[in-house]
PDB file of all heavy atoms in Angstrom:
ATOM      1  N   VAL A  97      43.115  68.998 173.786  1.00 94.00           N
ATOM      2  CA  VAL A  97      42.701  68.547 175.116  1.00 94.00           C
ATOM      3  C   VAL A  97      43.723  68.971 176.160  1.00 94.00           C
ATOM      4  O   VAL A  97      43.381  69.495 177.220  1.00 94.00           O
ATOM      5  CB  VAL A  97      42.509  67.006 175.130  1.00 94.00           C
ATOM      6  CG1 VAL A  97      42.324  66.503 176.548  1.00 94.00           C
ATOM      7  CG2 VAL A  97      41.318  66.613 174.263  1.00 94.00           C
ATOM      8  N   SER A  98      45.011  68.772 175.861  1.00 92.00           N
ATOM      9  CA  SER A  98      46.037  69.089 176.867  1.00 92.00           C
ATOM     10  C   SER A  98      46.095  70.593 177.135  1.00 92.00           C
ATOM     11  O   SER A  98      46.381  71.021 178.259  1.00 92.00           O
ATOM     12  CB  SER A  98      47.397  68.545 176.439  1.00 92.00           C
ATOM     13  OG  SER A  98      47.705  68.952 175.125  1.00 92.00           O
ATOM     14  N   ALA A  99      45.801  71.399 176.117  1.00 93.00           N
ATOM     15  CA  ALA A  99      45.827  72.850 176.330  1.00 93.00           C
ATOM     16  C   ALA A  99      44.614  73.314 177.139  1.00 93.00           C
ATOM     17  O   ALA A  99      44.652  74.377 177.756  1.00 93.00           O
ATOM     18  CB  ALA A  99      45.859  73.574 174.982  1.00 93.00           C
ATOM     19  N   ALA A 100      43.568  72.517 177.156  1.00 94.00           N
ATOM     20  CA  ALA A 100      42.335  72.929 177.840  1.00 94.00           C
ATOM     21  C   ALA A 100      42.229  72.372 179.248  1.00 94.00           C
ATOM     22  O   ALA A 100      41.393  72.824 180.022  1.00 94.00           O
ATOM     23  CB  ALA A 100      41.114  72.465 177.033  1.00 94.00           C
ATOM     24  N   VAL A 101      43.083  71.410 179.592  1.00 91.00           N
ATOM     25  CA  VAL A 101      42.845  70.649 180.822  1.00 91.00           C
ATOM     26  C   VAL A 101      42.870  71.527 182.060  1.00 91.00           C
ATOM     27  O   VAL A 101      42.056  71.357 182.966  1.00 91.00           O
ATOM     28  CB  VAL A 101      43.838  69.454 180.933  1.00 91.00           C
ATOM     29  CG1 VAL A 101      45.258  69.930 181.151  1.00 91.00           C
ATOM     30  CG2 VAL A 101      43.396  68.505 182.026  1.00 91.00           C
ATOM     31  N   ASP A 102      43.783  72.508 182.138  1.00 89.00           N
ATOM     32  CA  ASP A 102      43.850  73.336 183.342  1.00 89.00           C
ATOM     33  C   ASP A 102      42.634  74.247 183.484  1.00 89.00           C
ATOM     34  O   ASP A 102      42.211  74.563 184.591  1.00 89.00           O
ATOM     35  CB  ASP A 102      45.130  74.176 183.343  1.00 89.00           C
ATOM     36  CG  ASP A 102      46.344  73.352 183.742  1.00 89.00           C
ATOM     37  OD1 ASP A 102      46.155  72.170 184.114  1.00 89.00           O
ATOM     38  OD2 ASP A 102      47.465  73.878 183.672  1.00 89.00           O
ATOM     39  N   ALA A 103      42.062  74.645 182.351  1.00 88.00           N
ATOM     40  CA  ALA A 103      40.869  75.489 182.400  1.00 88.00           C
ATOM     41  C   ALA A 103      39.644  74.679 182.813  1.00 88.00           C
ATOM     42  O   ALA A 103      38.799  75.151 183.567  1.00 88.00           O
ATOM     43  CB  ALA A 103      40.629  76.141 181.035  1.00 88.00           C
ATOM     44  N   VAL A 104      39.553  73.443 182.323  1.00 90.00           N
ATOM     45  CA  VAL A 104      38.379  72.615 182.607  1.00 90.00           C
ATOM     46  C   VAL A 104      38.460  72.019 184.008  1.00 90.00           C
ATOM     47  O   VAL A 104      37.481  71.996 184.745  1.00 90.00           O
ATOM     48  CB  VAL A 104      38.242  71.500 181.546  1.00 90.00           C
ATOM     49  CG1 VAL A 104      37.088  70.571 181.908  1.00 90.00           C
ATOM     50  CG2 VAL A 104      38.022  72.103 180.159  1.00 90.00           C
ATOM     51  N   HIS A 105      39.635  71.517 184.359  1.00 88.00           N
ATOM     52  CA  HIS A 105      39.835  70.911 185.689  1.00 88.00           C
ATOM     53  C   HIS A 105      41.030  71.585 186.363  1.00 88.00           C
ATOM     54  O   HIS A 105      42.137  71.043 186.342  1.00 88.00           O
ATOM     55  CB  HIS A 105      40.089  69.402 185.570  1.00 88.00           C
ATOM     56  CG  HIS A 105      38.913  68.623 185.068  1.00 88.00           C
ATOM     57  ND1 HIS A 105      37.805  68.353 185.839  1.00 88.00           N
ATOM     58  CD2 HIS A 105      38.664  68.057 183.864  1.00 88.00           C
ATOM     59  CE1 HIS A 105      36.933  67.654 185.129  1.00 88.00           C
ATOM     60  NE2 HIS A 105      37.425  67.454 183.930  1.00 88.00           N
ATOM     61  N   PRO A 106      40.835  72.760 186.971  1.00 86.00           N
ATOM     62  CA  PRO A 106      41.970  73.451 187.600  1.00 86.00           C
ATOM     63  C   PRO A 106      42.614  72.564 188.660  1.00 86.00           C
ATOM     64  O   PRO A 106      41.912  72.010 189.514  1.00 86.00           O
ATOM     65  CB  PRO A 106      41.323  74.691 188.242  1.00 86.00           C
ATOM     66  CG  PRO A 106      40.033  74.870 187.518  1.00 86.00           C
ATOM     67  CD  PRO A 106      39.592  73.488 187.123  1.00 86.00           C
ATOM     68  N   PRO A 107      43.956  72.421 188.610  1.00 83.00           N
ATOM     69  CA  PRO A 107      44.613  71.515 189.568  1.00 83.00           C
ATOM     70  C   PRO A 107      44.463  71.972 191.008  1.00 83.00           C
ATOM     71  O   PRO A 107      44.574  71.173 191.931  1.00 83.00           O
ATOM     72  CB  PRO A 107      46.087  71.529 189.120  1.00 83.00           C
ATOM     73  CG  PRO A 107      46.243  72.673 188.181  1.00 83.00           C
ATOM     74  CD  PRO A 107      44.891  73.006 187.635  1.00 83.00           C
ATOM     75  N   GLU A 108      44.181  73.280 191.222  1.00 86.00           N
ATOM     76  CA  GLU A 108      44.053  73.780 192.592  1.00 86.00           C
ATOM     77  C   GLU A 108      42.618  73.732 193.099  1.00 86.00           C
ATOM     78  O   GLU A 108      42.334  74.118 194.218  1.00 86.00           O
ATOM     79  CB  GLU A 108      44.606  75.216 192.675  1.00 86.00           C
ATOM     80  CG  GLU A 108      43.778  76.290 191.968  1.00 86.00           C
ATOM     81  CD  GLU A 108      44.035  76.356 190.458  1.00 86.00           C
ATOM     82  OE1 GLU A 108      44.695  75.445 189.924  1.00 86.00           O
ATOM     83  OE2 GLU A 108      43.545  77.306 189.819  1.00 86.00           O
ATOM     84  N   ALA A 109      41.695  73.234 192.254  1.00 84.00           N
ATOM     85  CA  ALA A 109      40.289  73.201 192.669  1.00 84.00           C
ATOM     86  C   ALA A 109      40.079  72.226 193.819  1.00 84.00           C
ATOM     87  O   ALA A 109      40.832  71.267 193.979  1.00 84.00           O
ATOM     88  CB  ALA A 109      39.410  72.798 191.489  1.00 84.00           C
ATOM     89  N   ASP A 110      39.041  72.496 194.621  1.00 80.00           N
ATOM     90  CA  ASP A 110      38.739  71.626 195.760  1.00 80.00           C
ATOM     91  C   ASP A 110      38.456  70.195 195.310  1.00 80.00           C
ATOM     92  O   ASP A 110      38.762  69.242 196.016  1.00 80.00           O
ATOM     93  CB  ASP A 110      37.520  72.156 196.528  1.00 80.00           C
ATOM     94  CG  ASP A 110      37.853  73.446 197.268  1.00 80.00           C
ATOM     95  OD1 ASP A 110      39.059  73.707 197.467  1.00 80.00           O
ATOM     96  OD2 ASP A 110      36.926  74.171 197.626  1.00 80.00           O
ATOM     97  N   ASP A 111      37.829  70.090 194.141  1.00 79.00           N
ATOM     98  CA  ASP A 111      37.468  68.753 193.666  1.00 79.00           C
ATOM     99  C   ASP A 111      38.394  68.299 192.536  1.00 79.00           C
ATOM    100  O   ASP A 111      37.982  67.586 191.636  1.00 79.00           O
ATOM    101  CB  ASP A 111      36.006  68.736 193.203  1.00 79.00           C
ATOM    102  CG  ASP A 111      35.760  69.753 192.091  1.00 79.00           C
ATOM    103  OD1 ASP A 111      36.637  70.608 191.870  1.00 79.00           O
ATOM    104  OD2 ASP A 111      34.693  69.675 191.455  1.00 79.00           O
TER     105      ASP A 111
END
Side-chain angles (χ1 to χ4, degrees):
V97 170
S98 51
V101 68
D102 282 354
V104 175
H105 294 286
E108 70 279 11
D110 290 341
D111 58 347

